[in-house]
């Protein structure tokens, strides 16, 4: 599914920082790319989180 609302993604990233949660560099990079690249999908993010 495409990520259609960059504001929601920005809020999620802010919440991750506020909660002092850590993500792998690969996940961080993909999420930051998703802010400007409409081809990044939620499936890509989930697969990366699952280690596929």
């Amino acid at each position: 599914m495409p990520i259609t609302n960059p504001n929601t993604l920005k809020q999620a990233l802010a919440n991750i920082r506020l909660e002092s949660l850590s993500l792998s560099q690969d996940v961080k990079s993909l999420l930051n790319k998703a802010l400007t690249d409409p081809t990044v999908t939620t499936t890509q993010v989930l697969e990366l989180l699952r280690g596929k």
Side-chain angles (χ1 to χ4, degrees):
M1 171 184 284
I3 298 172
T4 57
N5 190 342
N7 289 328
T8 301
L9 182 54
K10 288 177 189 176
Q11 185 63 50
L13 291 168
N15 288 342
I16 289 167
R17 285 190 298 271
L18 283 173
E19 295 292 329
S20 299
L21 300 175
S22 62
L23 296 173
S24 72
Q25 190 58 39
D26 291 339
V27 174
K28 285 181 189 178
S29 295
L30 185 60
L31 291 176
N32 284 322
K33 181 180 177 185
L35 291 171
T36 58
D37 184 350
T39 64
V40 176
T41 67
T42 56
T43 303
Q44 290 172 295
V45 175
L46 288 173
E47 286 177 355
L48 190 56
L49 288 169
R50 291 179 183 145
K52 291 185 176 181

